[in-house]
Amino acid sequence: MTPVVAVIAPGMMGAGVGKRLADSGLKVLTSLKGRSQETVARAKECGIIDASDNEIAAADFILSILPPGDALGLAERFAPALKASNAKPVYVDCNAINPKTVERVAAAIAPTECPFVDAGIIGSPPKPGDAGPRLYASGPAAHRFATLRDYGLDIRVLGGPLSNASALKMSYAGITKGTQAIGAAMMLAATRAGTADDLFKELQSSQKEMFAWFKRGLTLMPPEAYRWIAEMQEIAGFVGEDPSASELYEGAAHFYEHIAEDFDGDKKDVAALMDFLGKGSAN
């Protein structure tokens, strides 16, 4: 029998993963309670079915794909329904959280007797014709989650401790999104100092590959910045034994918080950043 999978919630990544599974013939559930009309429409477009908490607790797998600050709350919300369910679905936390947070989420699920898998997503939401993001998984039940490879997901099982997938995600995102914060901050600083044109020319000349990477990533960053605040805070916790590194990522969290507020406001800095990235595009 084909498995039933619940994906919570149908944001851009969750909807993309859910659509990939639905397109592969699976019944995909979600919870649309309190969600926006945009989210409801996205779920419908992707073939994802609204369901109650009890119906979700009767699925074979539950994939938690949320902003990292909501990961623990979701596990606590579903714990009573999962405890009462005879199905005991595999609960897969796919969020950008650090190993200590993984332990808290796993502890919330433990009384339900549902198998728990730690997962970390690296890459963009699935699109037609591509393999989609890599879903790294760890923990004793990771091999069960890996059976969803048969339905279009690129799942890669890691050995070692339960939280290894999240440790990998933290390390990777700390490099990529941490570097984006530094790059954007310097581009804005150069703009304020009146040296934006000179910095642009120098980056184009001496850092072609890095600058092309910045252009791709930072053009898409502003509407996502609100999601990256908690992620940077999680990374700060991940590197917590190194106080200077922790301060670095707390600073990145503050930077993304500012960008998120600016994006929702007058977009002064967002416009300045887009102007910097777009220099020379008309030539």
Side-chain angles (χ1 to χ4, degrees):
M1 292 181 64
T2 56
V4 175
V5 181
V7 179
I8 305 168
M12 294 304 292
M13 181 62 76
V17 170
K19 186 177 189 308
R20 176 62 55 86
L21 294 170
D23 288 348
S24 297
L26 297 191
K27 182 178 182 180
V28 182
L29 309 177
T30 195
S31 173
L32 296 175
K33 182 166 44 178
R35 305 293 297 188
S36 68
Q37 286 301 116
E38 180 184 4
T39 302
V40 172
R42 184 187 301 122
K44 184 177 180 180
E45 182 181 344
C46 293
I48 302 172
I49 303 166
D50 187 24
S52 69
D53 287 5
N54 287 337
E55 289 171 326
I56 288 169
D60 297 290
F61 296 91
I62 297 176
L63 311 188
S64 171
I65 306 178
L66 299 155
D70 297 333
L72 180 58
L74 186 78
E76 292 173 339
R77 169 188 154 186
F78 274 96
L82 291 171
K83 191 170 184 178
S85 174
N86 292 323
K88 303 305 177 191
V90 179
Y91 190 97
V92 187
D93 190 289
C94 303
N95 302 301
I97 56 178
N98 75 56
K100 291 182 180 178
T101 306
V102 172
E103 291 174 5
R104 291 195 286 272
V105 176
I109 296 299
T112 71
E113 300 183 0
C114 291
F116 180 86
V117 175
D118 177 37
I121 302 176
I122 295 179
S124 302
K127 297 177 183 177
D130 70 19
R134 281 78 62 207
L135 286 81
Y136 289 92
S138 54
H143 66 283
R144 293 180 59 180
F145 174 47
T147 60
L148 293 183
R149 288 173 183 153
D150 295 338
Y151 304 97
L153 299 186
D154 183 356
I155 300 171
R156 307 184 183 189
V157 176
L158 302 176
L162 170 66
S163 59
N164 267 11
S166 284
L168 173 61
K169 171 66 176 180
M170 293 287 94
S171 304
Y172 184 87
I175 293 171
T176 56
K177 293 173 184 174
T179 302
Q180 286 193 44
I182 292 170
M186 289 301 101
M187 291 170 195
L188 290 172
T191 299
R192 292 191 297 270
T195 57
D197 289 344
D198 298 315
L199 177 61
F200 181 89
K201 291 174 184 176
E202 181 57 36
L203 288 172
Q204 272 202 320
S205 173
S206 64
Q207 303 292 338
K208 288 182 180 180
E209 290 185 2
M210 182 179 73
F211 192 39
W213 179 81
F214 272 131
K215 280 189 170 185
R216 289 192 300 272
L218 292 179
T219 300
L220 301 173
M221 178 271 288
E224 296 296 319
Y226 79 98
R227 298 175 62 91
W228 295 2
I229 300 166
E231 188 166 342
M232 292 299 106
Q233 292 168 339
E234 290 291 327
I235 296 171
F238 175 62
V239 298
E241 294 182 10
D242 181 346
S244 59
S246 184
E247 289 175 8
L248 179 68
Y249 287 102
E250 287 290 355
H254 291 310
F255 177 78
Y256 284 128
E257 183 175 22
H258 166 70
I259 293 296
E261 290 173 353
D262 183 69
F263 183 77
D264 287 338
D266 60 13
K267 294 183 171 61
K268 179 181 177 182
D269 280 345
V270 169
L273 183 60
M274 294 304 108
D275 182 64
F276 183 96
L277 295 169
K279 287 181 184 296
S281 60
N283 295 337

